[in-house]
Amino acid sequence: MKRAHVLLALLLIVDFAWCMRPYWVAGGPSNPLAGVGWASPAEALDHYQHSQFVVGWNSKTMRLMNDQQLYALAGWLYIHGSDPTAANAEHPPLAKYIIGVGEKALYSAVAASMAAGLVAILMIFFFAARALGNPFSAFVAAVLFLNTQLFINYAAQPYLEVFVLAVLAAGVWLLARMWSGEGNALVQLVALSALIGLGTAMKWSVIVLAAISLIFLASIRRFDLLRRLIALAPLAAGLYVANYVMFFAHGRSLPDFIAFESSMIQRWIAVSAAAQQPPFTIWRILFTGYCSYGDYVTINWRWYWPVCGAALVGGLVYWLRKRTPLLGLAFLWLFGYMLFFSTGPAWDRYILPAFPASMIITVSVGQNLYAAAARAVTSRRVRSA
């Protein structure tokens, strides 16, 4: 690794620590859930028993519970041996286990999400350095994303999307290394397969990484790597199932597991139908900040969201002309993830795992415009001479 990469990565770590500093909360051994507003785990559990997740939205005794509060409580329950389907069965358990580790080891409900956010920022930088061919341009892309309120808000709370972001960023970085021929391809394929399995055990949307990987390897004609990645599918599946070890420890069988996974799919179909959001809501959020539920406008939306969206057009034109593989990988990252949510309900935080790709593409457009302007100035000076 070059010295510039190391120095810029250290600057990113400092910037990240500065951004996260106001949000760090550690409640001590008696209250590791203080970071999400609870006085104790017992209070959180009592609130959960009367929340919309248990009694439903129409109950007169319903107490509203936010998603981050639910994930923090689920992490605490899981790490203390609870069946991972006891709370927040809508999502696989791994991210909540990691949240629980942060609560157990550091007495903080936000420790794990902040750690995932730091990993994500570094992976974004290292991938961008390869995609843009310049560590300083990569640093600009990473800093722009790091200092968005979108990232700060959701990395400073135990949301699942920041874990998804870290996995996707690490996955595309591995793919970039394989394209360059750097390192042992088989080791990197095993790591990629493990990322897909473990990431899907955090949230199902990580399955997009599998599709991105297959399409990218086919596009660069590395069919040998493509076949090996497909052959490693049992590894990914095994790691996914392994996260339910406590499910089986509570006396459940494999048919019970299959039935439970099927019920998760049915539950998400029901949630999508109940949300009554039109298709492509996630794109509407990106370009306008307006969601399709009530008059809600995301507080994280800023003018550079549609600027990044508009830059996609210029970036796509450039990619179609030059066919730069790693810029194409950034497009796969962005469009693959956004299309995954284009037919279902979407909230502003769903954009988080895709937004860094749009930042990288935007910086790429700026880079190319600057290079074109520099060539034009040089050409004019030559002609005038």
Side-chain angles (χ1 to χ4, degrees), residues 113-148:
S113 57
M114 287 186 178
L118 179 57
V119 170
I121 290 298
L122 293 176
M123 290 296 99
I124 290 165
F125 168 68
F126 289 126
F127 168 71
R130 293 172 180 272
L132 300 174
N134 186 319
F136 298 99
S137 297
F139 179 77
V140 170
V143 164
L144 286 174
F145 176 69
L146 166 56
N147 287 275
T148 60

Side-chain angles (χ1 to χ4, degrees), residues 48 78 84-92 96 244 260 264 267-268:
Y48 169 72
Y78 292 2
T85 64
N88 191 227
E90 294 84 2
H91 294 296
K96 287 162 287 184
Y244 285 91
F260 170 72
M264 287 176 66
R267 191 179 297 114
W268 272 109

Side-chain angles (χ1 to χ4, degrees), residues 67-75 88 91 96 158-160 349:
D67 286 353
Q68 72 271 31
Q69 294 176 318
L70 174 62
Y71 301 148
L73 173 62
N88 191 227
H91 294 296
K96 287 162 287 184
Y159 282 99
L160 304 185
R349 69 176 187 266

